[in-house]
Amino acid sequence: MNKYSDDQRTRREEYAEATRQALLASGREIFAREGYQAAGIEAISRAARVTRGAFYHHFEDKKALFDAVVVSLQSDAASRVQEISKRKSKIWERLYNGIDAYLDVSIEPAYARIVVQEAPVVLGNARFAEIEEQYPMALLKATLRALKREGELVFDDIDLLGHMLDAIICELSIMLPMSSDPKKTRAHGRRIIEGLLGSFRRK
């Protein structure tokens, strides 16, 4: 009896997770294509092939789904950045590899519209910063702290440096899609980042 109940519970949990993932996928697609304001719960539910009731079983409202989509995108971005950055053995190279990887992610259409353009407005700066702190920022600060531990970085306030560096990277990611020459803008932005970090690098 217990085994039967456990099997039923497992199937229910698997179905519930599959439904949630379907809603996240359809939400991501529709938010990226239409924007938050134009996206409708009915359309998102229909694209996910679930009922409106199933939507509300998993998410309180459209904003809750949007929040979950942003978390998912940021988590995926952090995983990709980490995977690419660790291909280098030296910490400085890992840092620059990670920055380049993030810039690549930031100009992808779904990420650019949902995370870069809309998330700070829809979720508010406090919530957006909280998500940022958990994912991309966490990797950036961890790498800066590793450089400091190795004596490669001469600066006491790693938290402040991380936030300032993140702000530059984020601003650059906003400018790239609008630039008439993205390659040139990215190269110049990269020089600014290298100049900032170079000023704190052990001579």
Side-chain angles (χ1 to χ4, degrees), residues 32-50:
R33 186 177 66 242
E34 301 179 12
Y36 177 79
Q37 293 299 333
I41 291 174
E42 190 67 41
I44 291 169
S45 301
R46 190 165 54 248
R49 296 184 178 181
V50 303

Side-chain angles (χ1 to χ4, degrees), residues 24-203:
L24 283 171
S26 64
R28 173 176 173 168
E29 179 184 347
I30 292 173
F31 288 139
R33 186 177 66 242
E34 301 179 12
Y36 177 79
Q37 293 299 333
I41 291 174
E42 190 67 41
I44 291 169
S45 301
R46 190 165 54 248
R49 296 184 178 181
V50 303
T51 64
R52 195 179 181 94
F55 178 98
Y56 284 111
H57 176 75
H58 289 277
F59 300 101
E60 181 181 357
D61 52 23
K62 185 172 70 168
K63 185 176 179 180
L65 173 63
F66 185 83
D67 187 294
V69 168
V70 172
V71 168
S72 176
L73 284 166
Q74 289 287 59
S75 177
D76 288 347
S79 295
R80 289 169 61 184
V81 168
Q82 187 172 37
E83 177 62 32
I84 292 170
S85 64
K86 72 181 184 181
R87 294 174 188 170
K88 298 292 185 179
S89 57
K90 295 181 179 179
I91 305 175
W92 277 109
E93 291 177 349
R94 287 184 184 180
L95 176 59
Y96 287 125
N97 242 31
I99 291 171
D100 284 334
Y102 177 78
L103 287 172
D104 288 339
V105 170
S106 72
I107 59 176
E108 292 175 359
Y111 191 94
R113 181 158 196 179
I114 295 171
V115 178
V116 177
Q117 297 174 25
E118 296 205 317
V121 177
V122 175
L123 301 180
N125 289 329
R127 174 57 183 157
F128 180 71
E130 183 182 356
I131 299 171
E132 183 90 349
E133 195 75 39
Q134 284 182 283
Y135 297 102
M137 184 84 75
L139 289 178
L140 179 59
K141 289 183 180 179
T143 307
L144 293 174
R145 290 191 183 99
L147 285 169
K148 186 167 177 60
R149 282 196 304 272
E150 294 296 317
E152 292 287 331
L153 191 65
V154 187
F155 194 74
D156 292 332
D157 196 338
I158 295 300
D159 189 67
L160 177 60
L161 179 59
H163 278 280
M164 296 298 291
L165 182 57
D166 179 72
I168 294 173
I169 295 169
C170 287
E171 185 64 26
L172 181 57
S173 72
I174 293 171
M175 294 172 66
L176 287 176
M178 301 184 292
S179 174
S180 59
D181 190 345
K183 189 174 180 179
K184 183 177 180 180
T185 300
R186 180 166 174 161
H188 287 178
R190 186 73 148 66
R191 285 180 61 193
I192 292 170
I193 291 168
E194 289 179 8
L196 170 66
L197 288 169
S199 66
F200 302 117
R201 188 169 183 171
R202 186 185 64 186
K203 301 297 187 289

